[in-house]
Amino acid sequence: MNGPPSLSVDGRFAGWLSSGSSAPRLVLYDLAERREAGRSGVGAARCRAFTWTHLPGVGLVVADPDGTENWSLHQVRVETAEWTPLGGPSAVRARIAGLSERRPAEVVLSTDGAGPGLRDFVRVSLHTGATTVLMTGSDHSAVYVDRDLRLRLTETVMPDGSRELRHAPAPGGGDGALFLRVPHEDALVVRVLRFADDGDSVYLVLPDGPDGVRLAEVDCALGEPAGVPRTVRAVRGGDFSTVLFAEDTGRPDLVHVEREQRVCEPLDEEWVPRIERLREALGTEPVVLDRRGERLLVAAQGPERDARYFVHDTATDDTWPLSEARPGQGPAAVECRPVRVPLRDGAHAVTYVTRGDRERLRGGPGPAVLLVHGGPWRRSRWEYAERRVWLAEQGWTVIEPNFRGSTGFGSAWINAADRQWGAAMQDDLEDTLDWAVAEGLADPDRIALLGGSYGGYAVLQMAATTRRALRCVVATSPLTDLVRFLAAPPAFWQAAAPMLRRRVGDPDVPEQLRALTEVSPVNRPEGFCCPVLLVHGAQDSRVPAEMATRMFMGLAQAGRDATLALFPDEGHEVVSTGNRNALDSLIARYLDEWLGGTGAAEPGRDRTAVPGDTTVKLFDSPRAVRRKAAPAPTSGADHGTSSDAQ
């Protein structure tokens, strides 16, 4: 499945995109009949997400036609399989900015404006396609609409990295009156959720001390500063992953609180027995995704298998299976354990350790993969993650730290990463590996690094600077040159550029320029003492592919063992089925080549061979060419080493 299902407004259908192993399909499921009602071909390339509008039988699909994140939006009448582009030919990088049951036949879109970093906001009729302009040429980082799809608040990132929320200006006017100023220290914690039904207040997630957040209701009178927040629910050591609002009152009545794991917590007493029955029926913690009338859409999630979706009928108290993210997938023989890893400065990082059952029962240290998440302002989670599971199934211990800068653990943990790229953030990774070795989980002589985007940066920087022995490093869509990235961020991130420079560094300040240059792995190819696999999509609009190609050329010129896998038709993420399979095969074989211990690759064969249904182009450094041409070792004693030391 390409994203979770959702329920139509009349409760008649569930719908979802299915990538499958061939061409993607839009799946329609009849909830009354409890059977699939049909599958239709998609009317756009690289469809990424489907959601229902508030019109019966009408959905919206977001697509990324060429991998550049030039998003297009399509209206779908599911029963006739009629696809209609929304916003007209000028709707470049179109995204949904607002839907409401009060104006079911309309959607608010955000599209690229006339200049770099500028956005237009329009309200579009789903019946006629006619547009009403709400704002043009906006340099705001976001806008927020109320339940009547009226533009109410604008958001701007200020030069110091703070955020200003202002009331929407009058037509033809300048900036509206200030509603709320969010200091830099809280900027990555505060979230606007939605307006109350009467439009007189707005629900936000606000910080609550250095390690907590609170769900709060704040008065939002036109032109007036924010009122005193009224706390609905507070959380320590975690965050809200989801907040659901009652259909009749518009007030929050159910939240999912996430610390090490996610927990479903009712805010309304009527929900308490219902959630308990769902726990019993599913055999795990329920995640309520959607509801329409008396029907709930619920996910059962765990680390050993991808999500399974169920429908719960509140009138009959009946719970029945709807679909699976990976049909036919059984539970993997793995265990994912959350732990709190002590760090050198006295802090702790919530870390997930995943091992196959065989390795866990056998005990003792084994080959390990440090898996570093991207962002860096996001987090690793306890629930199923495809790459983590198949790594553990190969016999490798997978270690995923939520290093400083990771979200979901309070503002202090996020702010501890400011100007710490290549510094304390790297120390957290080193400390995590030291802990894993000391705990007998990782063999210090068989450690590999794997990460994407920021994670790709982090593993390359570690490979360039660490004193520990590493078997190999795999970096997908990696940042390799912080100076170039910060000097020219993607056009669609221009509005947030001040926050990036405040948190990462400002190349216009000489001492910060020197620091950013020093911690950019592209400038340190001579520091690498292990083989490197670089993966990048040529259409990547967030992190240009030249980041990987320059890294590859530097490694090649320094005489290092490096392979570059370039996907000409992919962007920041590898999406198409053939290319995904090729990428998985490439990484698995590369890790087996250097980490060993799985038997996934046969000795003597080219372990970077990939399936034929792919566009990937492989490039080897001269050293890698010589290695591949050398005879295979006759025994496993030297498995994972090259003929001469790097």
Side-chain angles (χ1 to χ4, degrees):
M1 300 180 71
N2 199 353
S6 59
L7 303 181
S8 64
V9 66
D10 55 4
R12 180 183 174 190
F13 293 116
W16 63 87
L17 288 169
S18 173
S19 293
S21 58
S22 58
R25 295 285 185 268
L26 179 60
V27 180
L28 192 64
Y29 190 99
D30 189 313
L31 296 173
E33 298 291 333
R34 298 193 184 184
R35 62 176 178 82
E36 190 174 303
R39 293 179 176 236
S40 60
V42 300
R46 297 169 61 96
C47 295
R48 303 300 302 278
F50 169 83
T51 188
W52 293 97
T53 70
H54 292 280
L55 281 182
V58 178
L60 296 174
V61 172
V62 178
D64 178 16
D66 55 10
T68 63
E69 298 186 69
N70 181 14
W71 304 104
S72 61
L73 193 63
H74 302 262
Q75 174 183 320
V76 184
R77 297 189 179 276
V78 294
E79 293 185 86
T80 61
E82 178 185 356
W83 288 60
T84 306
L86 280 183
S90 62
V92 178
R93 214 176 299 276
R95 301 304 298 266
I96 301 170
L99 289 167
S100 175
E101 69 285 348
R102 289 191 178 177
R103 301 185 76 150
E106 293 177 310
V107 57
V108 175
L109 301 187
S110 161
T111 66
D112 272 3
L118 300 181
R119 303 292 287 168
D120 296 338
F121 297 90
V122 297
R123 196 163 52 225
V124 181
S125 168
L126 296 174
H127 289 314
T128 66
T131 63
T132 301
V133 175
L134 301 180
M135 182 179 290
T136 60
S138 163
D139 60 356
H140 302 299
S141 57
V143 302
Y144 302 98
V145 298
D146 62 17
R147 308 308 296 162
D148 291 312
L149 298 186
R150 297 175 301 182
L151 187 60
R152 293 290 303 275
L153 294 174
T154 65
E155 178 181 310
T156 303
V157 178
M158 307 305 290
D160 63 355
S162 63
R163 295 162 56 193
E164 277 193 358
L165 292 169
R166 290 184 171 271
H167 293 279
D175 290 339
L178 180 66
F179 172 69
L180 179 68
R181 184 176 178 84
V182 181
H184 161 79
E185 292 76 15
D186 298 333
L188 293 179
V189 173
V190 173
R191 307 195 301 275
V192 179
L193 299 180
R194 63 171 265 175
F195 277 85
D197 282 3
D198 59 12
D200 293 336
S201 61
V202 62
Y203 291 97
L204 303 98
V205 174
L206 300 173
D208 190 29
D211 66 342
V213 295
R214 56 176 172 156
L215 169 61
E217 183 179 10
V218 178
D219 289 338
C220 186
L222 187 63
E224 296 294 326
V228 176
R230 298 182 292 278
T231 299
V232 178
R233 172 76 169 87
V235 173
R236 290 287 181 203
D239 203 344
F240 301 102
S241 62
T242 314
V243 178
L244 274 74
F245 293 81
E247 290 182 297
D248 54 350
T249 67
R251 297 186 58 80
D253 61 352
L254 186 71
V255 297
H256 297 101
V257 173
E258 189 170 25
R259 295 183 179 91
E260 286 84 359
Q261 297 174 212
R262 186 155 26 187
V263 177
C264 185
E265 294 189 1
L267 300 178
D268 187 323
E269 287 298 319
E270 291 184 2
W271 277 94
V272 174
R274 188 174 300 151
I275 296 303
E276 286 300 325
R277 289 193 293 271
L278 279 171
R279 286 193 182 102
E280 183 178 352
L282 302 184
T284 188
E285 191 70 14
V287 178
V288 181
L289 302 175
D290 201 0
R291 60 178 163 192
R292 297 294 180 190
E294 296 176 339
R295 288 192 172 120
L296 305 180
L297 176 62
V298 186
Q301 296 180 318
E304 73 288 341
R305 68 191 300 179
D306 212 339
R308 293 166 294 142
Y309 300 103
F310 297 80
V311 174
H312 176 77
D313 191 313
T314 59
T316 63
D317 211 23
D318 185 20
T319 303
W320 44 276
L322 171 68
S323 59
E324 300 179 7
R326 298 171 189 271
Q329 176 198 51
V334 302
E335 177 193 67
C336 178
R337 180 167 58 98
V339 295
R340 293 176 59 83
V341 172
L343 305 175
R344 66 186 68 182
D345 63 356
H348 291 77
V350 172
T351 300
Y352 298 98
V353 177
T354 307
R355 305 189 90 179
D357 289 349
R358 181 179 57 188
E359 288 71 31
R360 182 172 54 84
L361 293 173
R362 185 172 60 224
V369 177
L370 181 73
L371 184 57
V372 185
H373 70 69
W377 303 293
R378 52 180 294 194
R379 62 166 291 171
S380 294
R381 290 185 153 86
W382 177 75
E383 288 98 350
Y384 179 88
E386 178 184 19
R387 184 156 290 169
R388 167 209 290 166
V389 168
W390 66 252
L391 287 170
E393 286 182 315
Q394 300 304 308
W396 302 314
T397 297
V398 185
I399 303 164
E400 297 174 87
N402 280 300
F403 47 87
R404 69 193 64 214
S406 302
T407 55
F409 305 99
S411 58
W413 193 237
I414 295 173
N415 297 329
D418 282 4
R419 304 281 169 83
Q420 294 300 313
W421 288 41
M425 297 169 80
Q426 296 294 120
D427 293 342
D428 292 350
L429 304 182
E430 295 277 10
D431 292 351
T432 299
L433 285 178
D434 288 342
W435 171 86
V437 170
E439 290 290 312
L441 295 169
D443 180 345
D445 296 323
R446 288 196 291 172
I447 292 175
L449 311 179
L450 173 58
S453 195
Y454 169 83
Y457 160 79
V459 298
L460 290 174
Q461 181 65 8
M462 177 180 279
T465 59
T466 189
R467 294 182 178 180
R468 75 175 71 243
L470 296 173
R471 283 301 181 98
C472 68
V473 57
V474 179
T476 64
S477 305
L479 272 166
T480 64
D481 188 335
L482 299 186
V483 174
R484 287 201 179 190
F485 178 74
L486 291 163
F492 52 89
W493 282 358
Q494 288 290 337
M499 189 181 294
L500 283 174
R501 293 189 171 209
R502 170 73 183 264
R503 292 194 179 273
V504 185
D506 188 343
D508 291 335
V509 179
E511 59 269 26
Q512 293 183 38
L513 172 63
R514 288 192 292 272
L516 292 168
T517 302
E518 177 67 18
V519 297
S520 293
V522 73
N523 299 322
R524 308 190 66 165
E526 72 287 343
F528 284 74
C529 296
C530 69
V532 179
L533 172 62
L534 299 160
V535 180
H536 222 115
Q539 304 302 315
D540 193 338
S541 59
R542 295 194 203 184
V543 181
E546 62 98 12
M547 291 273 184
T549 57
R550 286 178 55 224
M551 186 81 249
F552 171 74
M553 293 302 296
L555 292 167
Q557 291 166 3
R560 298 319 194 241
D561 189 320
T563 296
L564 171 65
L566 192 65
F567 290 88
D569 55 347
E570 299 286 355
H572 196 61
E573 299 176 6
V574 175
V575 172
S576 67
T577 301
N579 285 340
R580 287 203 318 270
N581 292 338
L583 176 59
D584 288 349
S585 175
L586 181 65
I587 293 176
R589 290 180 180 278
Y590 196 83
L591 289 174
D592 183 74
E593 168 76 14
W594 296 109
L595 198 55
T598 72
E602 300 172 11
R605 70 181 293 183
D606 179 3
R607 294 167 180 85
T608 58
V610 296
D613 183 21
T614 178
T615 61
V616 68
K617 309 296 181 185
L618 295 177
F619 305 89
D620 288 320
S621 68
R623 186 188 182 100
V625 171
R626 294 195 301 271
R627 169 178 56 80
K628 291 182 179 181
T634 55
S635 74
D638 294 323
H639 189 75
T641 62
S642 50
S643 56
D644 53 333
Q646 290 205 100

